[in-house]
Amino acid sequence: MSQSQKDMTLYEHIGELQKRLMIAVVFFLLAVIAGFFLAGPLITYLQHADEAKNMTMNAFRVTDPLKIYMEMIIFVAVIITSPVILYQVWSFVSPGLYERERKVTLSYIPVSVLLFLGGLSFSYFILFPYVVKFMMGLSENLEIQQVIGINEYFHFLFQITIPFGFLFQLPVAMLFLTRLGIVTPMVMAQARKVSYFVLFIIAAFITPPDIISHLMVTVPLFILYEISIWISKIGYKKVLEAEQKLEMEQYEEDKNKD
């Protein structure tokens, strides 16, 4: 780290944060413009997908189509902007990292984006069809005629899929925090029971009240946590090696001075 990076004042940190936020906002607004062109075809595709093609979507309020259209625009904009946002976060914290750590943590950005898309794909192509099938089957068994509102359908779709996009980034987030020295694999292992309970509760909020769909969410989350611990161990080992190397360099430097 350079001396100027070490000696940044609080005012300079705030200025740097404002700069990063401004860049992220500008890119988000550009992504919103792109979302205006992508939201319509995407909504049409989702309406004609296998899970929804046999359903008749209804608008119970005049504003429902506009509401879904705007929400889809924001959703598309967030996905498009996510690499830029992650890069701005990295740029803000990178002055506090060593050169080698900067290069390593920078590589987390594309992995994080891929994991986010992987989480969306898992929830949409694997979990969501089962949940829809379960709900439709339950309505049929209870002789209930479902009148499906497009607003409710897409809200349910977002409720199932979007959380997985963030939850699938757990390994990268833990590795990043480990490299920053905020968490260690030992702490994560000791907090396993508490973490499992929290993940269990999260799964209960984003799934319908049946054991199969709950397990379809809970088990992958538990596996992700174990993968996070394993990856954190690798990152922690790298941190220790870097610290030992730095101590040796400092020792050699002090020895040469003497």
Side-chain angles (χ1 to χ4, degrees), residues 129-159:
Y130 172 81
V131 172
V132 171
K133 183 178 179 181
F134 171 81
M135 292 298 185
M136 298 301 291
L138 182 62
S139 297
E140 185 176 342
N141 292 336
L142 297 176
E143 298 182 356
I144 297 174
Q145 181 65 40
Q146 283 201 348
V147 180
I148 301 170
I150 189 170
N151 185 47
E152 287 71 22
Y153 176 82
F154 276 94
H155 277 190
F156 185 64
L157 173 61
F158 291 149
Q159 178 187 354

Side-chain angles (χ1 to χ4, degrees), residues 55-68:
M55 302 178 184
T56 301
M57 300 292 176
N58 299 276
F60 298 127
R61 288 172 293 186
V62 176
T63 58
D64 279 354
L66 178 61
K67 185 177 180 181
I68 294 301

Side-chain angles (χ1 to χ4, degrees), residues 13-207:
H13 277 295
I14 294 174
E16 181 69 12
L17 179 60
Q18 289 176 335
K19 174 185 173 183
R20 299 301 168 188
L21 287 174
M22 184 61 65
I23 293 173
V25 169
V26 170
F27 273 90
F28 179 77
L29 293 176
L30 293 174
V32 167
I33 296 174
F36 273 101
F37 300 97
L38 297 174
L42 187 56
I43 292 173
T44 302
Y45 167 77
L46 293 174
Q47 284 180 285
H48 292 86
D50 292 339
E51 297 77 29
K53 63 183 180 181
N54 295 324
M55 302 178 184
T56 301
M57 300 292 176
N58 299 276
F60 298 127
R61 288 172 293 186
V62 176
T63 58
D64 279 354
L66 178 61
K67 185 177 180 181
I68 294 301
Y69 186 67
M70 297 303 298
E71 288 178 352
M72 186 61 71
I73 289 173
I74 299 300
F75 175 68
V76 171
V78 169
I79 293 179
I80 294 175
T81 318
S82 58
V84 177
I85 295 174
L86 291 172
Y87 180 76
Q88 297 308 314
V89 172
W90 175 86
S91 297
F92 182 70
V93 301
S94 62
L97 305 177
Y98 295 104
E99 183 63 30
R100 189 169 180 274
E101 290 176 327
R102 288 186 202 136
K103 294 178 180 179
V104 173
T105 51
L106 181 61
S107 66
Y108 298 168
I109 294 176
V111 176
S112 179
V113 174
L114 289 175
L115 285 174
F116 182 79
L117 296 176
L120 292 180
S121 300
F122 169 80
S123 57
Y124 179 72
F125 292 107
I126 297 178
L127 178 62
F128 187 67
Y130 172 81
V131 172
V132 171
K133 183 178 179 181
F134 171 81
M135 292 298 185
M136 298 301 291
L138 182 62
S139 297
E140 185 176 342
N141 292 336
L142 297 176
E143 298 182 356
I144 297 174
Q145 181 65 40
Q146 283 201 348
V147 180
I148 301 170
I150 189 170
N151 185 47
E152 287 71 22
Y153 176 82
F154 276 94
H155 277 190
F156 185 64
L157 173 61
F158 291 149
Q159 178 187 354
I160 294 291
T161 56
I162 292 178
F164 268 90
F166 293 102
L167 290 171
F168 263 55
Q169 297 185 73
L170 183 62
V172 172
M174 291 298 102
L175 181 57
F176 185 69
L177 294 175
T178 300
R179 296 304 293 261
L180 292 179
I182 298 175
V183 299
T184 66
M186 291 77 75
V187 171
M188 292 178 63
Q190 292 173 354
R192 181 181 277 110
K193 291 182 179 179
V194 175
S195 300
Y196 275 15
F197 178 74
V198 172
L199 293 174
F200 185 86
I201 297 299
I202 291 174
F205 272 105
I206 61 178
T207 56

